[in-house]
Amino acid sequence: MRKQLLTLLGFVFALCVQAQETEISIKLKEITSTETNTKTGEYITKKYTFQNGKLMSIKTSDIIQSFFYNANGYLDKSVRENEMSGWKEVAFYFYDTRNNLIKYINEYEEGGKSITKTITYKYEGNKIKALTKKSNSPLKFVQWIDYTLENGRIVNESERDINEKVISNRRIDYIEGDLIAYKGVFGDRSTDSYDYDDKFSAMRLLVQNVFGKNYKTIVTLIAPHEREFRLESISYHNFLKFSSTTPSKKEYQYSYTYNDLNYPKTHIENTGYLKTIVNYEYE
């Protein structure tokens, strides 16, 4: 009887995981964010627009970022620009036949000069080797990171110096599909911690539709370089609180209201005298 019960529980768990990973019918339609300085009354509005669940643009009063997709429906290019000044920053994404990210190119300005940053990703078994080069550097690479994969998620990363010696190692911990900790094991031993609610994540909907089935790996690779794809967005549930043992990283947290489908309807963040209210619309 005990054996039959364990078998049944294992079957139920497998179905739950499969349900979480299966494409669902609900899609994001629009996200609007308003950040208000409660001291001065000044505010900044940011609007995310979607088409069939795919992120198409992010716009503030002076900056617009547009997103373009390849024939397979994965993010191909993003363009961030100031329509008034002519400033522009472009990012390109390249994939292999298995839709693994194999190259990321970022063209931007630094100190009044045009810079191209290129990151190549090489896959060997459960390892990913990421080499970063910059057009303004004579070095053969400016950063080398080795990632370790487990069940489609990155669980460890090690950085090497120019002499190929490991100078830091960090571990990524998960519980019930949520990324809960980013821990320094060697070198920088600080820990970043993340807390979540028990409802369905809106930001996971966003990154799933941008990067497809490999979103967990791709977002972890790209999060340090693209501000709109945050590390915690791969989690099944909605982010609630961030804390860190690094003094320069300030703690912050969200509070939510939810719709009838248990997805966020709004969330509010208070950071000092800044108050941010975010509204989510679905279809």
Side-chain angles (χ1 to χ4, degrees):
M1 182 69 181
R2 182 172 179 269
K3 185 177 180 181
Q4 291 176 325
L5 180 60
L6 289 174
T7 301
L8 179 60
L9 289 173
F11 178 70
V12 171
F13 177 76
L15 286 178
C16 290
V17 171
Q18 184 179 10
Q20 285 179 314
E21 292 298 332
T22 303
E23 184 177 355
I24 53 179
S25 59
I26 189 169
K27 295 179 175 66
L28 282 164
K29 181 179 180 181
E30 184 176 285
I31 301 174
T32 56
S33 169
T34 304
E35 180 186 274
T36 304
N37 185 317
T38 56
K39 191 174 182 180
T40 65
E42 296 178 341
Y43 65 91
I44 299 173
T45 301
K46 182 187 287 189
K47 183 177 181 179
Y48 298 69
T49 61
F50 298 80
Q51 183 175 312
N52 196 30
K54 289 191 177 297
L55 179 63
M56 301 306 293
S57 68
I58 303 172
K59 189 171 185 178
T60 62
S61 59
D62 56 348
I63 303 292
I64 182 169
Q65 184 174 7
S66 302
F67 298 85
F68 305 90
Y69 297 85
N70 62 24
N72 293 322
Y74 303 120
L75 183 62
D76 183 60
K77 180 176 74 170
S78 71
V79 180
R80 182 184 288 114
E81 58 189 324
N82 187 318
E83 297 175 316
M84 302 296 291
S85 69
W87 170 87
K88 182 181 292 187
E89 181 179 319
V90 184
F92 300 92
Y93 300 78
F94 302 85
Y95 308 86
D96 63 14
T97 55
R98 295 184 177 182
N99 299 313
N100 294 309
L101 183 69
I102 56 172
K103 185 183 289 187
Y104 169 80
I105 297 176
N106 188 202
E107 298 175 350
Y108 59 97
E109 288 187 8
E110 187 176 275
K113 295 182 179 180
S114 296
I115 305 295
T116 299
K117 177 171 67 177
T118 303
I119 308 175
T120 55
Y121 303 96
K122 185 177 181 180
Y123 296 74
E124 296 178 351
N126 71 330
K127 302 290 186 181
I128 304 173
K129 176 182 176 181
L131 285 182
T132 302
K133 299 180 180 181
K134 293 179 74 173
S135 60
N136 63 338
S137 173
L139 299 176
K140 59 180 180 180
F141 63 86
V142 296
Q143 189 178 56
W144 175 345
I145 298 181
D146 294 321
Y147 297 93
T148 302
L149 284 167
E150 187 177 290
N151 297 322
R153 302 182 300 199
I154 291 174
V155 296
N156 189 277
E157 62 178 53
S158 296
E159 183 173 358
R160 298 177 184 271
D161 63 16
I162 195 67
N163 298 312
E164 302 185 11
K165 179 182 177 181
V166 175
I167 57 174
S168 71
N169 179 267
R170 298 183 72 86
R171 190 178 79 234
I172 303 176
D173 293 337
Y174 303 85
I175 289 182
E176 297 180 353
D178 295 331
L179 188 156
I180 62 163
Y182 189 56
K183 296 181 178 180
V185 178
F186 174 74
D188 178 4
R189 293 180 179 271
S190 63
T191 298
D192 295 343
S193 300
Y194 304 83
D195 294 334
Y196 300 86
D197 64 12
D198 59 355
K199 304 296 191 295
F200 297 124
S201 168
M203 297 313 293
R204 179 170 170 263
L205 279 181
L206 188 155
V207 295
Q208 272 186 301
N209 280 289
V210 169
F211 294 115
K213 65 178 183 179
N214 294 328
Y215 73 95
K216 296 175 190 175
T217 302
I218 295 174
V219 170
T220 309
L221 294 174
I222 218 70
H225 314 286
E226 174 50 70
R227 71 198 73 174
E228 295 297 342
F229 304 128
R230 298 170 67 165
L231 193 61
E232 64 269 23
S233 64
I234 67 173
S235 299
Y236 290 147
H237 304 109
N238 298 287
F239 166 80
L240 282 178
K241 180 182 177 182
F242 171 83
S243 60
S244 177
T245 59
T246 302
S248 61
K249 295 182 178 180
K250 294 185 178 181
E251 179 180 304
Y252 59 93
Q253 55 188 340
Y254 294 171
S255 60
Y256 291 85
T257 63
Y258 303 94
N259 62 21
D260 293 339
L261 296 175
N262 282 329
Y263 280 93
K265 184 177 180 181
T266 65
H267 89 244
I268 298 174
E269 176 189 358
N270 287 287
T271 307
Y273 51 82
L274 295 179
K275 181 178 182 179
T276 303
I277 301 176
V278 180
N279 293 282
Y280 301 86
E281 291 184 32
Y282 305 86
E283 60 182 0

